Amino acid sequence: LGEMGDSSLALTLAEGLRDDDFVVRWATADVLARLGEDGIPATLTMLSRYPLTEQFRRAAYHALHGVNSTQAQKQLKPLLDSMHGPAASVEAVAIAQKLLLEWTKGNQ
């Protein structure tokens, strides 16, 4: 993805989380997870912008849950938990927006 800090490339990649093709969604989620903390803002942005379909929810969860950082997992836990709840389509969006704001403030 070029420069690891290039958020526009990660955001373009994250669009694949909403693809109709399962293979594309899962490959996208794997790459975002491997990007670690650099892939989190792009995934949070997608969760903030688009309706949470079942396929999108699963792919985004996979991308975030796969980040290999104890600190990031601690921060993401409320979101990951909400993505399995009965009100995921509402709660996850609100939590993703809050986390995105915190994440971008923390990395400025």
Side-chain angles (χ1 to χ4, degrees), residues 52 54 57-58 61-62 65 77-89 91-92:
L52 195 61
E54 181 64 16
R57 181 194 63 78
R58 288 179 185 211
Y61 183 93
H62 182 68
H65 189 262
K77 185 174 180 358
L79 174 60
L80 294 172
D81 289 347
S82 77
M83 292 174 82
H84 286 298
S89 62
E91 288 179 7

Side-chain angles (χ1 to χ4, degrees), residues 2 4 31 37 53 59 66 80 83:
M4 288 304 278
V31 172
E37 293 188 20
T53 65
L80 294 172
M83 292 174 82

Side-chain angles (χ1 to χ4, degrees), residues 1 5 11-12 17 19 34 43-44 54 68 81 87 91 96 99 106:
L1 284 178
L11 191 55
T12 300
L17 293 171
D19 198 276
R34 279 190 239 130
T43 304
L44 294 175
E54 181 64 16
N68 190 14
D81 289 347
E91 288 179 7
L99 285 172

Side-chain angles (χ1 to χ4, degrees), residues 40 44 47 60-61 63-67 69-85 88 91-92 95-96 98-100 102-103:
I40 292 173
L44 294 175
L47 287 167
Y61 183 93
L64 294 172
H65 189 262
V67 172
S69 162
T70 304
Q71 179 61 31
Q73 287 303 314
K74 185 184 289 187
Q75 288 176 272
L76 293 170
K77 185 174 180 358
L79 174 60
L80 294 172
D81 289 347
S82 77
M83 292 174 82
H84 286 298
E91 288 179 7
I95 295 170
K98 180 179 180 266
L99 285 172
L100 181 60
E102 291 171 3
W103 206 273

